[in-house]
Amino acid sequence: QVQLVETGGGLVQAGGSLRLSCVASVASEDTFSIGPLGWFRQAPGKERVPVAVISRDSAGTFLSDSVRGRFAISRDSTENTVYLQMDSLKPEDTAIYYCVVGRTGTDVHGIWSRWKVDYWGQGTQVTVSS
């Protein structure tokens, strides 16, 4: 069993910044090995979509077209933590942001397509006011 806990959400004005964090905890009796990590988001009335994914060795990162140039994903593998730095926020970035994880050996494309996501976090609300 893997637990993902997201923090850092909140209310911010357009043009502002937020930094989301997600800590992945693996139960002591579990043999799950953390691989790619990522973020999805779901706006009210819309489907859940990928925002950013990072490979296990941080060599590969993917960002959606809508956030590229404004958001950055990074990870601290020693702490099993993934971050999403969000700058120049827009009202259309308002959504619940979910942290996801795949096991070691999973390709980042599998996470991006959500087919290979093994666990989801509970989500953190980000609200951007105009």
Side-chain angles (χ1 to χ4, degrees), residues 34-40 49-64 68 73-75 77 82 100-118 120:
I34 294 173
L37 290 161
W39 294 91
F40 280 65
V49 297
V51 175
V53 177
I54 187 168
S55 63
R56 186 171 185 266
D57 61 2
S58 299
T61 59
F62 294 84
L63 294 165
S64 69
R68 190 173 297 116
I73 186 171
S74 61
R75 68 186 289 169
S77 294
V82 62
V100 298
V101 64
R103 66 190 65 242
T104 296
T106 299
D107 184 81
V108 291
H109 298 288
I111 301 300
W112 190 265
S113 69
R114 90 179 62 192
W115 288 110
K116 295 294 187 180
V117 171
D118 285 288
W120 294 80

Side-chain angles (χ1 to χ4, degrees), residues 2-5 19 21-26 34-35 37 56 58 74-83 99 101:
V2 177
Q3 185 178 23
L4 300 172
V5 178
R19 188 192 196 204
S21 300
C22 172
V23 179
S25 301
V26 181
I34 294 173
L37 290 161
R56 186 171 185 266
S58 299
S74 61
R75 68 186 289 169
D76 180 346
S77 294
T78 62
E79 299 292 333
N80 288 334
T81 303
V82 62
Y83 304 96
C99 178
V101 64

